[in-house]
């Protein structure tokens, strides 16, 4: 059975990546493509790598153009999706690649985004661990909440990397969620097509540039929310992204202290938490002991690769997670969640093989 | 119907790229994977981006391990495939990613490679134009010679880029094949995994490095051969590759003088030759006038993008062609030719959408 | 003796590079720094790598602020320097990094720039060969015309690379200047700080992008002018620049046919023309036979490195020249010419050692 | 007064960078250049960017060739300098760029390097803070111990970045040295010219690769040693380096918890510790509030740029430090220390201006 999909914000990176994937998806027919200032021009001018859709003309982003599809993907600036989504019928699957509907706590939204909260949608990270009732020790996965969902909020790319790296240890009670520290090497496509001097190639090449240092990055409350869902009590995290000269990719180094009582755990035992969490997952994998993830391994793929180590001197577990920010971090995660919501095999149209070297 | 494929040289870049594509090919089952010095280890150690095959153990590259498959892909150093191929049954489809069986003229082989010639196989560039008899003006394509082929020689990556850029104008008699000049910006994966100082990241980053300058590159006789097949008489080409800091991609700038009598042709008329040559091709495209190809548009895709311009002051036509050297330039071209030889749709398992940005 | 220098356009790349060099120049005191939209802010905000001047406040670019210095460097957009220069006293050394005063032929200016010609200044390429009277066979260098000059037009960066590569062979009558072909791998800083989508890091990384293909680049008439000065009769050149993922550097591959009567020249004899042209030059060098220039060898240095080869099959000589576009291609060349005009040693404040790897 | 310098290991990156700087140093005459496997060849083959020394022939690395110079710089593999240094006269200034003589504690050496300890030399980080006697609150700098030194151990590059970032806060008692976390984005030249697959350009481009994760990096005991000298009691640090696609540069993100009693310190007061520590330093600088360091700002320069932020949610101070690993991290730091030891101005032959963009 074929579903029709409209994409709003088709000339940007997130919208483009969604189209790159959907163009080869066997059960999807691509409908309306809309844009803001680029409306009226051909998609091939803005996304020349998507040959299959190069001739498509971009329509203005308004509700009329988005109506009449089975699925609507919103790849819009933060704050822009709430109003449009509210006008789409309840039985349309609406997938928001922006931040508007990710957070549960309206205060956290307002603290970091400064605008009124648009509401909370089912969270599109199928592999997110959900701790059961107190003391039950049972875990379910977010995937279960996505079946038949008609609204999905796709996670932030950095959030996906840090959550997948840390959550098994936290859900298993092996890691303390107090005093987490994460530093991420991130590619430039995460910043979008915005025209800013520090995003120019001449500034980026040969350089590493930190940003949002000191706790101001908007992905922080979302990471905290995820890890609480995975079973943490209070979460604190120092989070620093560093732009490095690559177009795609996130390499998240996230460290946590071993939880009290588990200071002497050996590596094989620690690894079991990650193995169990991900053994049945098609897109998230703990690498064999001793092999470390790199972003190139995941380029163009919906794959997240994780590795862990214990640093006895420092009393910390170090996790490293690699994803492609535009795929597993955005559009691939969206398509995976879409597949689940539509009752399709979750891997349909997605690959686990990275484009490397 | 499913076919089994063995890959010899599975730990290198060309073999790896073949496996990346075949891992998601709907009609292929991957059989033996062999290697030379890496035999005995797991593929995941050498090709960690190919998650689907990470656990496969590499066998030694010998005929016994390659027997019993429908298809054998040889991704071996130049000069190594002849002996093995000779021992494989005639009804097995053998695809050589190396240079050994590309050239028709044994002398050209010896001049550039310095060893005895292994023989000539059907040439795996489906889009290659073949001029008919003198004065007939009829063109066929190499594709016709690949149906039911059981030996295929995959073209060199630079050759594919230059050939696809120039051949329509030459076949149409609009360009002179005397005094061609081609300069290519090429990514480092084309040099393979060989450990040489100038291939180190620290040497490559921030630098552009020419090599094989002055007519010594081994792809030169192959380009000449192709353009003669497309209808040129004598061909001379100055060919200079320049390594630039990207992992994949070839951007070939190839210029030719307008043929006598066509000096005043206008651009629209000139473009018709390329449009006609490629209008029915799923993987080769003349971009709309004014849009220039970039390598990123083709990354990970089996796409070749071409653009042409007339420089009246210089009396030359400039063609620019972008491909991914490992896909359309090697493994993707191989799979496309394999599909044709096996009677499958030629696009099966291949994408036209590049992984950009 | 110390000279004072003002720099107009101090917040851009060309102005910044001039300041980077002058900040460590032993005979220069840096005076007024001016900018257009950035006036009023500190230099350190725009050029944070120039620590010595980080606290300097940018003044508006007007004549009043530039008056009272021994030297004024204009790093302004094309077309903006003429008016300002006209208001500066004749005894002030004015150095224009822009294109306005480079071309001798007003028609060539208008053809490529579309505005009225601002006039011609002494050309700031000290190593430019100047052929003597017809049949004299004598060569002088442009350097002689720069002594005591009070107006200097600094060459375009691509022009410098192509001119230095080809001129010895042309001046010696060994190369034909008809049907030259040049393809350049160029870094992104050459495009300046302009905010355009194709200059974003996410577009540039992993990609090679051609531009101004087909004879429209504004550096073409300047190359022709230089080669005519070096002794060519009519000059035609096909010129294609390709942006590659590096911040700095130009690698120019420029080819020419051997002049009639010299088709059989051997390499050693050919090399003599380049050796003689550059033997006494501190910043331009023919590399030892067999060693090819790379841009990294010249990064941050005022060095141009050249190599030549003969391609007998193609009947062409191939020259490859590497420079740093911002140093020898712009600001370093400017400082070298300034030194000459001021009677200082031409190498003062300049290095020949590149920052590599 | 001119001093003569010999460099052992002149064909590697550290030796080459030393020569790049010394070639333009006004008080240095370069004497013997030695190498191991490259002995007998010209320096220009290995360091083509150092034009001034391209013709120099490399001698074998033995004591005879190194004798008779005022200064000997050892750029040798770890473990190789002890034996040679022991044979050089006491009045020769010997500067070891390797690790052999950095650590005070023989056990720490053996734990991380696995060989016998060669002894401890004065440590070549002039800006290292040295806490006085208990309760004195007095600070001196390592510079004082370098005057007239005749043996100098140059710090590890990562160590320099982390030490300069954290030490002011630790020396001032504002930061806790327990549970430090540092993640570094590092360029590939830090890995030297070693031929390993993961150092190939094709593996590095478009990728971020962690290594030595989990507490195994040999720079860890050296960081701990420095911070103890700066006044910390016990030091624990989680340290993760990540290779990113740049040739040079280290961007060190190092975080520490605010020390008990200082949890509510405001940023202006916190910054005073860094300002006081570096106010008189020519090469280490706290950037203005709100401006973050990038590695490009320091490329080719002997500069270290630091910035700090307080993350109240996380209870941590985040410091970011940028250096060029080959300059301030190795060769530039060595020349600065050499200048001090020889009684020259410490800035001689060194620049603070980075080669950017």
């Amino acid at each position: 059975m074929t579903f029709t999909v409209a994409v709003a914000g088709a000339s940007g990176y997130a919208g483009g990546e969604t189209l790159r994937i959907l163009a080869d998806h066997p059960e999807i027919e691509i409908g309306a493509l809309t844009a803001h200032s680029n409306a009226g021009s051909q998609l091939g001018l803005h996304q020349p790598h998507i040959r299959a859709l190069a001739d498509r003309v971009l329509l203005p982003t308004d509700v009329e153009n988005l109506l009449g599809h089975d699925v609507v993907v919103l790849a819009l600036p933060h704050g822009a999706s709430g109003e449009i989504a509210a006008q789409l019928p309840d039985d349309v699957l609406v997938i928001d690649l922006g931040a508007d509907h990710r957070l549960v706590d309206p205060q956290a939204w307002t603290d970091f985004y400064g605008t009124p909260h648009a509401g909370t949608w089912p969270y599109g990270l199928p592999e997110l661990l959900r701790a059961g009732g107190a003391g039950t020790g049972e875990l379910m996965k977010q995937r279960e909440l996505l079946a038949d969902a008609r609204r999905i909020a796709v996670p932030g790319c950095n959030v996906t990397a840090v959550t997948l790296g840390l959550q098994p240890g936290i859900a298993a009670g092996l890691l303390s969620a107090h005093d987490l520290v994460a530093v991420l090497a991130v590619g430039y496509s995460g910043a979008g097509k915005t025209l800013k001097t520090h995003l120019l190639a001449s500034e980026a090449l040969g350089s590493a540039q930190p940003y949002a240092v000191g706790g101001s990055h908007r992905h922080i409350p979302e990471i905290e929310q995820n890890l609480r869902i995975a079973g943490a009590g209070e979460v604190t995290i120092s989070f620093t992204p560093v732009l490095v000269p690559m177009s795609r990719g996130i390499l998240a180094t996230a460290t946590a202290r071993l939880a009290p009582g588990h200071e002497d755990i050996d590596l094989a035992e620690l690894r079991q938490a990650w193995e169990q969490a991900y053994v049945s997952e098609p897109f998230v994998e703990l690498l064999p002991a001793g092999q470390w993830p790199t972003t190139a391994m995941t380029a163009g793929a919906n794959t997240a690769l994780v590795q862990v180590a214990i640093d006895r001197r420092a009393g910390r577990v170090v996790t490293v997670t690699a994803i492609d920010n535009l795929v597993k971090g955005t559009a691939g995660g969206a398509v995976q969640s879409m597949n689940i919501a539509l009752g399709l095999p979750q891997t349909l149209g997605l690959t686990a093989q990275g484009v490397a070297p």
Side-chain angles (χ1 to χ4, degrees), chain A residues 18-39:
Chain A
T18 306
L19 291 171
R20 181 184 73 83
I21 295 171
L22 292 181
D24 290 332
H25 191 294
E27 300 295 343
I28 292 299
E29 186 183 318
I30 295 173
L33 307 182
T34 78
H36 183 62
S37 57
N38 294 320

Side-chain angles (χ1 to χ4, degrees), chain A residues 3 38 54 68 101 105 155 161 194 232 240 243 248 258 268-269 276 287 289 301 313 339:
Chain A
F3 300 87
N38 294 320
H101 303 92
D105 177 6
T194 320
T240 309
L243 287 163
R248 290 174 174 239
L258 283 161
E269 195 183 340
Q276 286 173 14
L287 285 176
R313 288 173 71 100
N339 285 339

Side-chain angles (χ1 to χ4, degrees), chain A residues 78-335:
Chain A
H78 298 317
S81 57
E83 195 183 359
I84 285 182
Q87 302 175 63
L88 293 169
D90 289 350
D91 62 344
V92 170
L93 171 54
V94 185
I95 301 177
D96 190 356
L97 303 185
D100 298 33
H101 303 92
R102 294 173 190 159
L103 294 180
V104 173
D105 177 6
Q107 187 61 46
W109 172 269
T110 306
D111 287 351
F112 279 82
Y113 291 86
T115 55
H117 188 218
T120 309
W121 289 1
Y123 191 70
L125 183 58
E127 301 88 353
L128 177 65
L129 298 173
R130 301 190 68 98
T136 66
E138 283 180 28
L139 285 173
M140 58 173 280
K141 283 186 181 162
Q142 179 69 14
R143 179 176 291 109
E144 301 179 33
L145 304 184
L146 296 174
D148 299 321
R150 284 301 169 264
R151 294 291 184 273
I152 295 176
V154 176
C157 52
N158 298 306
V159 178
T160 294
V162 174
T163 300
L164 294 175
L166 289 172
Q167 67 168 5
I170 285 173
L174 302 174
L175 300 183
S176 167
H178 294 282
D179 208 17
L180 304 170
V181 178
V183 180
L184 291 78
V186 300
Y188 278 81
S189 61
K193 281 194 187 176
T194 320
L195 295 175
K196 294 183 181 168
T197 301
H198 77 286
L199 301 179
L200 287 176
S202 43
E203 301 289 321
L205 287 155
S207 197
Q209 310 191 63
Y211 70 100
V213 189
S216 63
H217 198 285
R218 291 168 163 181
H219 284 173
I220 291 174
E222 193 181 337
I223 295 171
E224 293 174 349
Q225 174 176 298
N226 285 353
L227 296 182
R228 281 194 302 267
I229 289 172
E234 203 53 35
V235 179
T236 57
I237 181 163
S238 165
F239 174 90
T240 309
V242 177
L243 287 163
V244 301
M246 56 193 192
S247 180
R248 290 174 174 239
I250 294 174
L251 192 91
T253 302
T255 82
R257 283 207 300 270
L258 283 161
H262 295 282
E263 290 86 352
D264 299 325
I265 193 170
D266 68 13
L267 183 59
E269 195 183 340
L270 183 80
R271 286 174 57 86
Q272 284 181 17
W274 278 258
E275 281 163 0
Q276 286 173 14
Y278 299 138
V279 63
S280 64
E281 291 297 338
F283 292 126
V284 185
E285 217 176 320
L286 179 70
L287 285 176
Q291 187 174 31
W292 288 89
T294 72
T295 58
M297 297 179 188
T298 67
N302 200 43
T303 302
L305 297 176
V306 187
Q307 185 55 285
V308 297
I310 303 174
D311 183 339
R312 298 269 173 222
R313 288 173 71 100
R316 281 189 170 261
V317 166
V318 184
T319 72
V320 178
T321 307
I323 62 167
D324 182 323
N325 58 305
L326 288 179
V327 190
K328 185 60 183 164
T330 306
V335 171

Side-chain angles (χ1 to χ4, degrees), chain A residues 7-89:
Chain A
V7 175
S11 60
Y13 288 152
E17 188 68 359
T18 306
L19 291 171
R20 181 184 73 83
I21 295 171
L22 292 181
D24 290 332
H25 191 294
E27 300 295 343
I28 292 299
E29 186 183 318
I30 295 173
L33 307 182
T34 78
H36 183 62
S37 57
N38 294 320
S41 60
Q42 288 190 324
L43 186 71
L45 216 62
H46 311 285
Q47 314 282 13
H49 58 294
I50 309 176
R51 300 315 306 160
L53 304 170
D55 297 340
R56 290 292 193 88
V57 175
L58 295 168
L59 306 174
T61 298
D62 54 37
V63 174
E64 289 64 40
N65 288 323
L66 299 174
L67 285 173
H69 300 83
D70 301 311
V71 184
V72 175
V73 178
L74 302 175
L76 302 172
H78 298 317
S81 57
E83 195 183 359
I84 285 182
Q87 302 175 63
L88 293 169

